[in-house]
Amino acid sequence: MKRATQIEIAKRLNLNRRTISRVLNNASNVKESTRRSVITTLNKNGYYLQIHTKPETIVFDIVNRDTYSGSYVVELMGRLSGRDFQFLVSNHTGPRHPYAKLVQQSNILVFGEGIPIKVIEEAREINPDIFIVNLFSMNTNSADVSITTSPWVAGKMACDYLMENGHKKILVISDPAHGTLMQRTHSFWAEIEFNHPDCKAEICYIPLDHLIKSGKMFEMIQEYFKKNKQNMPTAVFCTGGLIGYCLLEAVKPLGIRIPEDLSVLTIDRPEDIGCTEVQRRLDSIIFRAADIVTLAEYYISNRPLLKSGSRITTSPHIFLEINGSVKNINIPYERRTEK
């Protein structure tokens, strides 16, 4: 459908064309009620604030550059370099005064970590006019643009895939301290409860941070399989890539073969989160990291006029990558591999 012109929008609102232009240029001599009406109509017709009268300042909030999310922020900075932006770097977990000062003097704030709503609200109190982009919203959709990896969609995809391959006895491994992993867990469990009541699913919680610090990453998983040696699940759903890595390392000394004895499905590939010595590739529900950066780049460069409109929540494409770690138990494994 052809986009309405500014002249057509002016006629629709019974305004002068120059009024539309003044709103687009953020002029002060426009009534606030008129501005809100114009911005709402412009939003609905796909107009964006693309022309800046002076370089804008972006503050990138990075808690840890060495994490995978920190690396995405660095890539985003590289893509935006050379354009009409000035860059600053902050850390909201550090000293309050320097962070607040950076937020106050900036036009755009990019959070590189999944953060609580209160952090975004505090940034708005410091600078009510700042445009906030949250790269990993974890369903905390309070920024102007929230990019989420859709944990609810991923959990449902995981359930559907295991059901298609005949698995009715499933172990779910999750971390109760990790919000995104728990959302994936709840989504998977809800799908089982409502659509697959004949399936038996069990959840095993492992506190990843504690186990990493204590050096007992694999022992807890090994204890589960030793205890349930005669009553093993047919498949394991790992809600995160690090959990998938832990599982592979834990079952190897027990002589459990994948997928002959146990099928494994994970969300996020272990190798994508720094597990470089993975013994085999797993069937994984993943998203392309570059897609998150592309979405953030687009909305920063083509910022929507959102003063009176709804905030935007968007997601990169999520898809299933099959690497042969999930066995189809509807047919004999030997017959399947012969094909």
Side-chain angles (χ1 to χ4, degrees):
M1 184 175 67
K2 183 180 178 181
R3 188 173 72 170
T5 67
Q6 293 179 33
I7 294 175
E8 290 171 338
I9 290 174
K11 289 181 179 179
R12 186 180 305 172
L13 297 174
N14 196 26
L15 295 172
N16 189 290
R17 164 68 180 80
R18 292 179 182 176
T19 303
I20 307 299
S21 180
R22 284 197 290 268
V23 171
L24 283 169
N25 288 289
N26 203 27
S28 60
N29 58 338
V30 180
K31 278 184 172 182
E32 189 56 34
S33 59
T34 301
R35 187 187 304 277
R36 285 197 301 269
S37 177
V38 171
I39 287 176
T40 298
T41 306
L42 288 171
N43 278 332
K44 291 179 180 178
N45 285 273
Y47 281 88
Y48 296 90
L49 185 62
Q50 300 184 45
I51 301 173
H52 315 299
T53 57
K54 59 182 180 178
E56 291 195 310
T57 301
I58 306 177
V59 57
F60 293 92
D61 191 81
I62 308 175
V63 175
N64 186 349
R65 289 175 181 265
D66 296 330
T67 63
Y68 70 96
S69 55
S71 67
Y72 293 169
V73 177
V74 173
E75 182 179 345
L76 177 60
M77 293 172 71
R79 291 200 192 183
L80 293 172
S81 63
R83 304 190 193 181
D84 202 19
F85 296 114
Q86 297 174 344
F87 296 163
L88 298 171
V89 177
S90 71
N91 180 350
H92 73 273
T93 64
R96 172 72 175 176
H97 180 70
Y99 165 72
K101 186 176 180 180
L102 291 176
V103 172
Q104 179 61 51
Q105 67 189 54
S106 301
N107 306 101
I108 303 167
L109 171 59
V110 178
F111 284 108
E113 304 277 347
I115 55 172
I117 293 176
K118 67 177 183 179
V119 176
I120 295 177
E121 292 176 344
E122 287 172 356
R124 291 194 195 282
E125 289 177 5
I126 297 169
N127 185 349
D129 295 325
I130 201 164
F131 181 78
I132 301 176
V133 178
N134 190 357
L135 297 190
F136 296 91
S137 73
M138 293 172 53
N139 278 15
T140 305
N141 306 324
S142 55
D144 294 296
V145 175
S146 299
I147 303 175
T148 173
T149 52
S150 297
W152 304 106
V153 173
K156 183 180 186 305
M157 286 179 65
C159 181
D160 290 344
Y161 181 58
L162 291 177
M163 294 300 107
E164 288 169 5
N165 283 278
H167 294 280
K168 300 293 185 181
K169 190 174 183 182
I170 302 167
L171 173 66
V172 181
I173 304 181
S174 189
D175 181 356
H178 196 294
T180 298
L181 301 192
M182 288 305 298
Q183 287 174 344
R184 295 168 178 175
T185 303
H186 294 154
S187 174
F188 184 92
W189 192 264
E191 192 68 16
I192 292 288
E193 287 282 303
F194 287 101
N195 294 321
H196 304 281
D198 58 331
C199 175
K200 182 180 179 182
E202 180 181 359
I203 302 178
C204 175
Y205 294 112
I206 60 171
L208 285 174
D209 288 343
H210 172 72
L211 294 179
I212 291 170
K213 291 176 182 177
S214 65
K216 298 180 179 180
M217 287 181 64
F218 316 120
E219 291 181 12
M220 193 168 181
I221 298 176
Q222 286 179 336
E223 288 175 6
Y224 173 88
F225 283 99
K226 288 177 181 177
K227 182 180 178 181
N228 295 276
K229 188 175 182 180
Q230 304 302 322
N231 191 30
M232 276 185 39
T234 63
V236 178
F237 168 44
C238 301
T239 55
L242 180 57
I243 294 175
Y245 168 74
C246 292
L247 178 73
L248 289 176
E249 293 297 313
V251 301
K252 185 178 179 181
L254 300 179
I256 297 174
R257 301 168 301 165
I258 297 171
E260 293 88 344
D261 304 320
L262 183 70
S263 292
V264 180
L265 172 66
T266 185
I267 298 182
D268 303 334
R269 292 175 294 206
E271 54 268 33
D272 287 344
I273 57 170
C275 302
T276 56
E277 299 181 0
V278 182
Q279 58 181 283
R280 66 160 297 157
R281 296 180 71 87
L282 298 173
D283 288 11
S284 303
I285 295 169
I286 61 176
F287 60 91
R288 294 182 179 89
D291 289 353
I292 288 181
V293 179
T294 299
L295 286 168
E297 178 190 12
Y298 174 81
Y299 282 110
I300 290 172
S301 301
N302 303 279
R303 193 156 75 257
L305 298 164
L306 291 172
K307 287 186 178 179
S308 64
S310 299
R311 291 166 183 162
I312 292 173
T313 300
T314 186
S315 173
H317 176 62
I318 298 175
F319 60 97
L320 173 67
E321 180 182 88
I322 298 177
N323 293 300
S325 67
V326 173
K327 173 182 173 181
N328 188 332
I329 60 177
N330 292 316
I331 57 176
Y333 182 69
E334 293 78 9
R335 197 176 75 200
R336 183 171 69 90
T337 54
E338 286 174 2
K339 295 180 181 180

